[in-house]
Amino acid sequence: MSNDLFEKAPIREAYLKLAIPVVLSMVVQLVYSMVDTYFIALTGNTSLIAGVSVCTPLFTLFLAFGDMFALGGSSYISRLLGAGKGEDGKRLSVFCMYAAIGFGILTTIVLLMFKTPILRFLGADGDVMNYAGQYYQFIVLGSCFIIYSLVPSNLLRTVGHPNASMITSIIGAVVNIILDPVFIFGLGMGAAGAAIATVIGYITSDLFAIWYTATKCDGLSVKLGDFGLQPGELGKIFAVGLPASVTNFTQTIGITLTNRALSGYGSDSIAVMGIVLKIVNIVMLVIVGLAFGGQPLTGYVFGSGNKERLKKVLSFAYRIVGGTAAVMAAIVALLANPLMGAFLKDNALISQGVLMLRLQMPGMILMGLSLVTICTFQSMGKGMPALILSLCRQGIVYAVVITVFQMLFGYYGVISSQLGADVVSVIIAAGLFLMFIKPELTEDAH
């Protein structure tokens, strides 16, 4: 893909050409996630559903680890491309890929060593512990493949191959969808089967990404001989990579805090919230795709020093992400009852889920605005404000809000705490924008 897309194409065209493949890959992941939940829900076993739900934070943990190298690397490489230093980006891509593999192996070893205490911390006990343990064992064994998958997917977009990035995600998701019923029901493996199908899907994605990078993409490399790391470059990768990982890591914390708070109200509440959060991903994954899809453009334009074009990119990003979030949130809120009814048959549980789901929706708009701000910080290499904002929504702010809300309003406080945290987080995002981004748009020198 020519640099004309980054430098000369109309903002709308350039942004959407990069973002739409990401959104489409996210939609496929969404379809898989919903199908996965549907097959598990078909068992009618709420303990099994809860067991898989309490392991959901593991995925966000793996994504957090992968983002250290995926988003940290793509942010720095996009700025290098904007400055005309493509060969430097190529050698750094080798580091990001192999570092992710090494970190993934370390993650697998540590999580297997501390399986029981981690499951207890996640909120598993009684019958739920048995099912959670089955799922945990196999998903952790495949953690290296999940962590690695983020790196080529993000780097391919950064060097102008968004369609290849999309195909990488789609291939794995399709394999997951096909294998889920085979392992869960055909082989009678239940929770373990769901985990195995997921891991095989990620392995398939990784193999395609490696093949494509090695044979079709000149801007990246998987050859150890191309590796090179100069003084200061590691710091530039992790200055963005660590805050980026915190965004996903705080989701792990947030889901864990929610499950632990709901455990006092019965395993049914955890199971219903697990399904609600899957449906919330309908909106969330599209928002994430739109926000992160434009990140290579923001980084490239910032690296080139073109402030007028940068202003237009940011203006379009906030409008497209905020507007899309508002429309989708309204649709999901209106369809809350049939959506919950697709997964649950008990009317009381459906009603419980409808309320949970509708309380989540207004926060999606606020989350979208915060996400664009985080992506902008990452694209500009501003790690500290990105870290501060990343710690808010499902981290420090959420921990404070859910604690206070539960004390004041009990169960209803728990299920409305995310909305409260989103309101506080978007206010913080606005303040950080004025402090760190606005000066970059008005200064005479880059």
Side-chain angles (χ1 to χ4, degrees):
M1 188 177 291
S2 169
N3 286 345
D4 287 350
L5 178 70
F6 295 97
E7 296 175 354
K8 300 177 181 179
I11 299 301
R12 179 187 179 88
E13 176 188 337
Y15 194 101
L16 292 180
K17 197 165 187 177
L18 289 166
I20 286 177
V22 183
V23 173
L24 291 175
S25 67
M26 291 288 189
V27 169
V28 174
Q29 292 292 330
L30 164 67
V31 171
Y32 157 68
S33 180
M34 300 295 283
V35 171
D36 185 50
T37 303
Y38 176 75
F39 283 129
I40 293 171
L42 280 180
T43 64
N45 186 338
T46 54
S47 292
L48 188 153
I49 299 170
V52 174
S53 296
V54 298
C55 288
T56 298
L58 291 173
F59 276 101
T60 50
L61 179 66
F62 300 153
L63 297 180
F65 290 158
D67 277 347
M68 286 194 294
F69 311 101
L71 294 181
S74 63
S75 170
Y76 186 34
I77 290 171
S78 67
R79 296 196 303 277
L80 289 172
L81 291 174
K85 300 178 180 179
E87 286 303 311
D88 289 331
K90 185 173 183 177
R91 59 180 174 76
L92 289 174
S93 71
V94 181
F95 164 77
C96 292
M97 292 192 189
Y98 284 94
I101 293 172
F103 198 88
I105 293 171
L106 178 63
T107 299
T108 300
I109 295 170
V110 172
L111 292 183
L112 287 176
M113 288 175 59
F114 298 97
K115 174 181 176 180
T116 300
I118 290 173
L119 283 172
R120 285 176 179 161
F121 175 75
L122 293 174
D125 57 14
D127 290 339
V128 173
M129 173 65 81
N130 178 45
Y131 294 111
Q134 295 173 26
Y135 192 86
Y136 181 101
Q137 183 74 22
F138 288 99
I139 211 67
V140 167
L141 286 171
S143 62
C144 183
F145 303 104
I146 299 173
I147 291 170
Y148 174 80
S149 68
L150 272 78
V151 179
S153 178
N154 278 273
L155 296 187
L156 284 168
R157 290 191 293 107
T158 298
V159 296
H161 291 260
N163 291 333
S165 175
M166 175 183 67
I167 293 171
T168 298
S169 299
I170 289 175
I171 287 176
V174 170
V175 170
N176 282 342
I177 293 170
I178 294 171
L179 293 183
D180 252 339
V182 175
F183 282 99
I184 295 173
F185 299 109
L187 299 178
M189 298 181 69
I196 293 171
T198 297
V199 171
I200 293 175
Y202 276 103
I203 291 173
T204 307
S205 290
D206 293 345
L207 291 175
F208 173 81
I210 292 170
W211 170 80
Y212 187 91
T213 301
T215 61
K216 305 288 185 180
C217 183
D218 293 333
L220 304 175
S221 177
V222 293
K223 298 178 182 177
L224 280 171
D226 291 334
F227 171 78
L229 199 62
Q230 296 178 1
E233 290 181 334
L234 188 62
K236 290 180 180 179
I237 291 173
F238 283 111
V240 172
L242 287 174
S245 72
V246 169
T247 302
N248 273 315
F249 185 68
T250 54
Q251 290 180 23
T252 303
I253 296 173
I255 295 171
T256 302
L257 289 172
T258 302
N259 287 339
R260 289 175 66 87
L262 287 174
S263 64
Y265 306 99
S267 62
D268 282 358
S269 295
I270 297 176
V272 173
M273 180 59 82
I275 292 172
V276 166
L277 293 179
K278 293 284 188 180
I279 297 174
V280 167
N281 280 341
I282 295 171
V283 182
M284 185 178 296
L285 289 179
V286 174
I287 295 172
V288 170
L290 283 174
F292 281 91
Q295 194 172 20
L297 179 63
T298 305
Y300 188 102
V301 174
F302 177 75
S304 70
N306 189 337
K307 292 185 181 295
E308 285 305 310
R309 188 167 173 83
L310 180 60
K311 290 178 184 177
K312 294 176 182 177
V313 170
L314 295 184
S315 174
F316 182 78
Y318 280 108
R319 285 185 283 114
I320 190 69
V321 173
T324 302
V327 172
M328 293 192 70
I331 292 172
V332 172
L334 288 172
L335 299 177
N337 200 76
L339 284 172
M340 291 305 302
F343 298 94
L344 298 167
K345 302 306 175 187
D346 185 283
N347 289 332
L349 294 181
I350 291 173
S351 297
Q352 186 179 10
V354 167
L355 178 59
M356 288 180 178
L357 184 57
R358 285 177 174 161
L359 285 171
Q360 293 274 337
M361 285 301 102
M364 293 295 98
I365 304 167
L366 305 178
M367 184 203 75
L369 300 177
S370 296
L371 258 184
V372 174
T373 308
I374 290 173
C375 288
T376 304
F377 287 139
Q378 292 171 353
S379 299
M380 293 180 171
K382 298 182 180 296
M384 186 51 67
L387 175 61
I388 293 171
L389 190 52
S390 296
L391 284 170
C392 290
R393 183 177 186 263
Q394 289 190 310
I396 296 172
V397 170
Y398 184 71
V400 172
V401 171
I402 195 171
T403 301
V404 173
F405 276 29
Q406 185 174 22
M407 289 174 58
L408 294 176
F409 310 112
Y411 167 79
Y412 294 101
V414 174
I415 64 174
S416 61
S417 55
Q418 185 63 74
L419 178 56
D422 284 326
V423 172
V424 176
S425 296
V426 79
I427 293 172
I428 295 173
L432 292 173
F433 181 95
L434 294 175
M435 291 174 61
F436 293 98
I437 297 177
K438 190 173 181 180
E440 292 284 358
L441 303 177
T442 56
E443 289 176 358
D444 293 331
H446 176 64

